[in-house]
Amino acid sequence: MHTHDRPCFTGKLVFFLAGLLYLGFAGSMAWAQTPTGLEIMKKQRDLQRAKDEEETQQMTLVNKNGETKQRKLARATITGSEDLSKILIRFKAPRDVENTGLLTWEAKDGNDDQWLYLPEMKKTMRIASSGKKNRFMGTDFAYEDLRPENLSLHTYNLAGSEAVDGQDCFVIDALPGNDKEADESGYSKRKLWIRKDISYTVKREFYDKKNQLEKVQTDRKLVNVKGSIWRADEIEMRDMQAGSKTLVVIETRAQDKGLKESLFTAAALERGGR
Amino acid sequence: MGEYRGRQGCGGGRRFPRGGRAFLAAALIGAAMLPSAAGGQDAPNPGLADTTTEERAQAAPATGEQPRDAPSSEVGRPPASGFWAGMSQTAVQLRDLGLKGDMTYKNFSFFKDTPNDPRNFGNEGIFHLQWDRELTEWASFSIKGEARQDDRRFTRGVRTRVPDNLLHRRMVDLMESYLKLTLPGDTQLTMGKLIYTWGKGEFYSPTDNMSPYDYLDVIDRLKEPVYSGELSKTFETSTGPVDLSVIFIPFFTPARDPLAQSRWTPATTFIPGVGDSVPGDVNAQRRVTPGREAKNMQYAVRARKTIGKVDVSVSYFYGFEYLPVVQKNPTGSTTTFVPVYRHMQAPGIDFETTVDKFVIKGEAAWKFGDRELKDSRFQGLIGVRYTRDDIWTQWLKKLTVDFEHNRQEFISSKNPQFIVSGSFLNGFRNSGSGGIEFEFNPDQTFNRETKFRVAGSVDWSQSANYWLQYQLTVKPVEDYTLETGFDVFAGEQTTFWGEWRNNDRFYFKMTRLF
C-alpha cells in the first residue's frame, strides 16, 4: 500500500503544483486580456500620438432636408510638454470665413487659451474659450469633439468587447471625471469602440444630459500613416436627434514634419492670415 | 473764414461727380448683388461635391452603410437661370483664376438737413477684386484693387498718388498689395502697401499709429477701419520666445478728414477751455503735410509674447500722428489756422488675458511731441469683454458685452499756439465705449447667424454727449450679408457728439462675397 500510496501522493503534488501554475498563468492571461479602460486609453494615446501633424479637411454639412454646405480648413497640431497640444485651424472656405484663424492652446485644467484672427479687422483677439458643447462652424461636431482626448478629465470604464465592421473592439464608457467637466460638457457619457489590433477609435456614441443617444461618429478608410499611427481619411458625425450629419474628408495629411512652436503663436496666426 | 469759403468755391459743381450718374453706378453694383432663389444659395464647388459623393460611395461598402443621403450640389439648389446664373458662373470662373472679391452697396438716409450738406440721402457702391498667388514655397504676392462710386461727393478721379494725401477717395485705387518673402529662421519680409492695426481697443487704440483712417463718414470708419495701406516694409521674426515686428514707412500718409461741404464738418469747432472757435472745414482746406524727406520717414517696432495666460506687447513708434492739430497764427488783427501733423515718439504697451468668460485688456501709449510741437500726452484704455456661448436657449447662440474706458492726460503743458481740434478720435479719448451683441442662430445647422448689436460711446470730457448705434446683421445665405440700423447722436452743439446731432440716420448695407 505504501508503495502504492507514494506515487499517488507524488501525482497529487504534481497535479496540485500544475494546477497552481495553471491558475497563475490563466490569471495572468486573464489580466493581460482585460486591461482597465484607462490602460486602453493610455495605450491608444501612446501609439497614436504624433509630435506634430498637418492636414486639410473638406467638410460637407448635410441638414435634415438634404441641403448641403461645404467647409474647408487647414489644421495643424503640435504636442508639447505634458501631452498638451496647440492647435491652429485656418478656414479656407466658405468665402465669408476665409483666412479666419483659430489658435487653441490646450490647458491641463481644461481652461484652454484661444485666439481668433479676423482678416477683415486684421487683428488677433484673445477669446474666452468656446463653450465645449457648442457646435463648431455649424457642423455636427462640438468643440469638445475636436479636442485631443484629455485623460485626466474623464474616467474610462471597460464595458466589454464588440465587433465593428468585423474588427474586434474594446467598448469603453467615458464619463466626466469631475463636476466641472460634467457641467461644461454637453454629454453625460460617450461610448468608444477601440480596435484591439491597432488601438484606434473607430466609432463613438455621444449621449446627451438626459442619457439619450445624440450623435454617432464613425471613422472610415483607416490608413497606417507612420509606425503605429493610424488615421481615418473619412469621418462621419451623424446627429441622431436633429437628423443632420457632417462628413469630413481628409485631403492632405503629414506627420512629424518638425513644425516649430513659434508657428503656434498669436503673431504667427496674424502673419499666416496676411 | 473767407479764405476757406473761397477754396470751397473753387470746387464748383464740375469737380464733383454728377449725383445721378454716381447713384446709377452705386445702384448697379447693389442690383448685381441681390440674392435670388438661384444665385442666393451657397454653391458648393462642383468638383468638391463630386469628390465627396464619390468618397461616400466608396466608403459605403466598408461600413455596410448605404449612401442613402447622397447630398450633392443640386440638393437644395434650384437651377439658376439668366442673369443670376451668369453672375454665379462668373464668380466661379474668377475663383478658378485665383481671384476673389466682394461687392457692397450702402445707403444712408439722414433725418435732418445740415448747413454744409443739405442732401438727406447717400449711396455708395464698392467693388473689390483680389489676386493672391504663391510664386514659390518662400514667395507670394497679393494684389487688391478697388473701384467705387457714390453720390456723397466722397469719390473723385482715378489718378492715385504715393503717398496718398488726396482729400477724396479714388474711383479706382490699389488697396493692400504686397510681396511676401519667407526667410530662414521663422522670418518673414513683407513689402508693399500694407495695413497695420496694432492695439487692443475696439473703438480706439492709442498704439495704433501707423495706418491712417478714412473719416469722410466718421462713424462708418468704425466698421471699415482702414481705407488704404501704406507703402512700407515689414520685417517680422520669432526670436526665441518673442515675436518681433519691425516696420519702415518711407512716406507719411495722412488720414482723410471730412470734406468742407460735408455734414460731418460743422461750421465751427468750439474748443472748450481754449476760447477759440476754429473753422470746421480747416482740416480739409489748409493742411500742411510733411514732405517726402528722409527726416520724415517713419519707423515702428513691436515685441509680443504670451506670459502665462497674458498676452503682452511692447511697441515704439517714431513718426507723425495721422490726424492734424491746428496751429493758431495771430497775424495783426486776424488769426489764421493751419492744420499741421505733429511728429512724435510713442512708446506703448498693451495686454490681454482671459478670466473665465471675461477677456480683460489694456493699452497705453505715451506720445512725446519731439519737434516744433512739444506737448506730450498719455493715452490709455482698460476694457473688458464678456462672452457667453453656452446659453440656455437654442435660438440665442452667443451674447457678447464689451466696455472700454478711455483716458487722455497731458504730460507736459499744452502749447497755446496749437489746438487739438478736428480730431475725430477726441470723442473716444476720454470716454466710455461699449456694446451688447446678441447672436441668433435659428438654423442650428448652417450657421446662418443673425446679430443685433447696440453700441455707443459717451464722451466724459464735456457735458453728456453720446453716440448710439442699433444694428441688425442678417446672413440669409452664405456669402451675402445685410446690415441695417440707426445712428443716433445727442448732446449740446458745443460737444463732440452734439456737433453731429443733425446726423441721426438710418443705414442699409448689402455685401456679396465671391
Side-chain angles (χ1 to χ4, degrees):
Chain A
M1 289 291 290
H2 286 279
T3 53
H4 181 73
D5 286 341
R6 186 182 296 261
C8 182
F9 173 77
T10 307
K12 281 181 180 173
L13 185 63
V14 169
F15 183 75
F16 175 72
L17 290 173
L20 277 180
L21 195 64
Y22 170 77
L23 283 173
F25 180 72
S28 66
M29 283 295 287
W31 181 86
Q33 285 173 355
T34 55
T36 65
L38 183 61
E39 285 167 342
I40 294 166
M41 297 303 294
K42 279 182 176 169
K43 184 181 176 188
Q44 180 190 49
R45 184 193 61 187
D46 293 342
L47 292 176
Q48 302 301 336
R49 178 171 47 193
K51 278 183 189 168
D52 60 72
E53 198 159 359
E54 277 185 308
E55 61 187 26
T56 54
Q57 302 179 351
Q58 174 78 34
M59 289 181 163
T60 304
L61 288 58
V62 188
N63 74 5
K64 62 182 174 186
N65 300 321
E67 295 169 314
T68 63
K69 294 276 178 183
Q70 302 287 337
R71 302 271 184 272
K72 190 169 183 178
L73 57 89
R75 179 185 161 110
T77 310
I78 189 167
T79 305
S81 56
E82 300 184 74
D83 281 329
L84 297 173
S85 299
K86 294 178 178 177
I87 305 156
L88 175 61
I89 294 174
R90 181 88 57 194
F91 299 100
K92 302 291 184 187
R95 180 70 179 85
D96 60 342
V97 292
E98 187 178 351
N99 271 341
T100 299
L102 178 70
L103 173 66
T104 304
W105 285 10
E106 199 186 3
K108 204 169 185 180
D109 61 1
N111 291 321
D112 298 348
D113 293 297
Q114 279 193 317
W115 295 264
L116 185 68
Y117 172 72
L118 299 169
E120 286 299 306
M121 306 297 291
K122 302 198 176 297
K123 265 190 179 180
T124 296
M125 56 199 289
R126 189 178 261 268
I127 55 173
S129 189
S130 299
K132 290 178 178 178
K133 60 187 90 169
N134 282 345
R135 299 292 172 100
F136 170 75
M137 283 284 290
T139 67
D140 292 295
F141 291 90
Y143 279 91
E144 61 184 310
D145 305 339
L146 298 169
R147 288 184 50 179
E149 190 75 30
N150 191 330
L151 302 187
S152 62
L153 294 179
H154 302 95
T155 55
Y156 300 93
N157 301 323
L158 180 62
S161 294
E162 211 172 287
V164 175
D165 294 332
Q167 298 291 337
D168 200 15
C169 297
F170 290 117
V171 184
I172 306 272
D173 286 337
L175 305 167
N178 55 49
D179 291 344
K180 185 171 179 285
E181 181 63 18
D183 183 47
E184 290 180 353
S185 173
Y187 311 121
S188 59
K189 182 178 81 173
R190 290 174 302 141
K191 212 167 181 179
L192 314 174
W193 280 259
I194 300 174
R195 264 178 62 166
K196 291 181 178 177
D197 55 345
I198 57 173
S199 282
Y200 185 88
T201 308
V202 289
K203 184 181 169 188
R204 294 170 173 86
E205 286 183 353
F206 302 85
Y207 292 82
D208 64 15
K209 296 284 192 185
K210 295 173 185 169
N211 216 23
Q212 300 294 311
L213 179 62
E214 183 183 343
K215 298 188 296 188
V216 178
Q217 178 181 330
T218 312
D219 289 24
R220 303 177 189 133
K221 295 190 177 178
L222 300 189
V223 287
N224 183 208
V225 293
K226 184 184 177 186
S228 64
I229 302 174
W230 289 74
R231 293 290 183 267
D233 272 353
E234 192 173 286
I235 301 164
E236 182 191 272
M237 179 67 95
R238 188 180 288 269
D239 189 324
M240 310 305 283
Q241 297 176 2
S244 58
K245 72 171 192 174
T246 300
L247 186 77
V248 180
V249 175
I250 309 300
E251 295 185 328
T252 62
R253 171 186 285 130
Q255 271 82 25
D256 295 337
K257 279 177 67 180
L259 298 181
K260 292 181 179 171
E261 291 240 6
S262 58
L263 294 174
F264 296 82
T265 64
L269 184 65
E270 230 162 74
R271 280 202 299 270
R274 174 171 278 164
Chain B
M1 280 297 288
E3 278 183 76
Y4 311 124
R5 296 232 180 270
R7 291 175 72 91
Q8 285 169 31
C10 285
R14 196 166 54 84
R15 200 193 283 180
F16 299 124
R18 282 183 227 160
R21 189 187 298 170
F23 175 76
L24 185 63
L28 272 176
I29 291 180
M33 296 159 37
L34 283 170
S36 69
Q41 293 292 319
D42 178 51
N45 182 320
L48 296 173
D50 288 345
T51 304
T52 306
T53 309
E54 186 186 335
E55 296 279 320
R56 208 175 3 259
Q58 288 174 2
T63 58
E65 189 176 342
Q66 296 300 314
R68 56 188 169 81
D69 45 280
S72 70
S73 58
E74 289 78 28
V75 178
R77 169 175 282 279
S81 62
F83 178 74
W84 304 113
M87 288 295 295
S88 296
Q89 188 64 29
T90 304
V92 170
Q93 286 169 350
L94 288 172
R95 293 290 290 180
D96 290 345
L97 292 170
L99 295 166
K100 61 185 177 183
D102 58 77
M103 292 185 284
T104 300
Y105 167 73
K106 296 180 189 178
N107 171 268
F108 299 93
S109 304
F110 295 90
F111 303 131
K112 294 175 188 168
D113 296 340
T114 58
N116 271 349
D117 186 359
R119 287 167 307 166
N120 290 341
F121 301 99
N123 299 279
E124 294 179 36
I126 307 157
F127 176 79
H128 289 131
L129 191 62
Q130 185 174 344
W131 185 33
D132 299 327
R133 193 173 174 91
E134 296 266 341
L135 298 171
T136 66
E137 274 191 8
W138 50 271
S140 63
F141 71 80
S142 176
I143 298 175
K144 185 174 182 180
E146 177 185 84
R148 64 187 309 148
Q149 186 55 290
D150 63 69
D151 59 3
R152 307 180 74 192
R153 301 178 183 171
F154 289 171
T155 307
R156 178 192 295 173
V158 294
R159 189 168 58 87
T160 191
R161 191 184 289 172
V162 177
D164 180 359
N165 54 13
L166 298 161
L167 294 175
H168 293 78
R169 297 167 181 164
R170 304 284 92 186
M171 290 168 70
V172 179
D173 207 349
L174 199 62
M175 307 300 284
E176 192 172 38
S177 303
Y178 53 83
L179 173 70
K180 185 165 78 176
L181 304 176
T182 303
L183 308 174
D186 293 343
T187 301
Q188 191 170 288
L189 178 63
T190 314
M191 296 172 286
K193 203 172 178 186
L194 291 153
I195 293 170
Y196 305 98
T197 52
W198 287 4
K200 302 295 182 190
E202 186 95 4
F203 297 87
Y204 153 67
S205 285
T207 60
D208 191 13
N209 295 309
M210 285 159 296
S211 294
Y213 287 78
D214 184 325
Y215 295 101
L216 294 188
D217 184 313
V218 175
I219 296 303
D220 210 26
R221 80 98 193 164
L222 289 172
K223 294 198 286 287
E224 292 174 41
V226 186
Y227 75 90
S228 182
E230 278 195 300
L231 194 67
S232 57
K233 284 182 191 172
T234 307
F235 181 78
E236 292 172 298
T237 187
S238 296
T239 310
V242 176
D243 288 295
L244 193 69
S245 301
V246 180
I247 296 170
F248 164 63
I249 304 168
F251 309 120
F252 169 71
T253 304
R256 263 200 246 283
D257 298 318
L259 299 168
Q261 291 183 327
S262 161
R263 57 170 55 242
W264 298 102
T265 304
T268 57
T269 298
F270 179 75
I271 311 299
V274 177
D276 286 298
S277 286
V278 179
D281 61 357
V282 66
N283 287 345
Q285 296 302 318
R286 297 189 66 85
R287 64 184 188 177
V288 178
T289 53
R292 296 167 56 157
E293 302 159 35
K295 67 172 186 176
N296 292 338
M297 290 178 180
Q298 302 178 100
Y299 310 89
V301 60
R302 179 163 72 154
R304 306 163 74 179
K305 179 169 173 54
T306 298
I307 304 167
K309 279 188 168 295
V310 185
D311 303 333
V312 181
S313 72
V314 181
S315 62
Y316 174 77
F317 173 72
Y318 178 88
F320 292 91
E321 202 168 31
Y322 53 68
L323 281 168
V325 293
V326 177
Q327 186 174 11
K328 188 171 70 170
N329 295 327
T331 317
S333 59
T334 59
T335 299
T336 57
F337 299 97
V338 180
V340 294
Y341 293 86
R342 68 189 201 116
H343 194 272
M344 62 182 183
Q345 298 185 49
I349 186 167
D350 64 62
F351 77 92
E352 196 170 38
T353 188
T354 45
V355 179
D356 196 22
K357 298 289 181 189
F358 293 90
V359 173
I360 296 163
K361 57 191 173 180
E363 185 175 344
W366 291 262
K367 299 185 174 177
F368 300 105
D370 67 349
R371 289 186 184 172
E372 59 280 349
L373 177 54
K374 294 194 185 301
D375 75 332
S376 299
R377 300 170 224 164
F378 164 82
Q379 294 170 350
L381 69 87
I382 187 90
V384 63
R385 185 172 61 248
Y386 172 75
T387 307
R388 281 298 297 268
D389 55 2
D390 50 352
I391 306 176
W392 45 96
T393 61
Q394 289 248 315
W395 49 271
L396 183 57
K397 186 182 170 190
K398 192 192 281 185
L399 169 72
T400 308
V401 182
D402 59 86
F403 178 78
E404 288 170 13
H405 174 74
N406 304 287
R407 188 77 191 155
Q408 172 175 274
E409 295 288 346
F410 281 86
I411 300 169
S412 63
S413 61
K414 284 186 280 187
N415 185 336
Q417 195 187 349
F418 293 94
I419 301 168
V420 185
S421 142
S423 170
F424 310 103
L425 295 177
N426 280 349
F428 292 108
R429 285 177 177 162
N430 285 292
S431 68
S433 309
I436 179 165
E437 182 176 280
F438 302 90
E439 192 174 319
F440 308 101
N441 188 9
D443 180 343
Q444 289 287 307
T445 307
F446 279 167
N447 224 22
R448 289 174 186 157
E449 307 96 0
T450 300
K451 293 179 187 172
F452 178 67
R453 178 173 169 83
V454 180
S457 185
V458 179
D459 175 20
W460 305 128
S461 64
Q462 302 169 70
S463 64
N465 67 108
Y466 62 86
W467 155 70
L468 266 181
Q469 184 175 71
Y470 304 87
Q471 180 170 293
L472 181 69
T473 307
V474 179
K475 265 171 103 173
V477 288
E478 283 178 351
D479 299 341
Y480 286 87
T481 306
L482 307 177
E483 270 179 22
T484 187
F486 291 92
D487 284 314
V488 177
F489 303 88
E492 291 180 22
Q493 183 69 44
T494 54
T495 59
F496 179 81
W497 296 109
E499 277 188 336
W500 296 324
R501 62 185 176 178
N502 289 334
N503 285 353
D504 290 356
R505 65 182 179 182
F506 166 80
Y507 62 89
F508 172 76
K509 180 180 167 186
M510 179 165 55
T511 302
R512 194 219 161 154
L513 303 165
F514 60 87

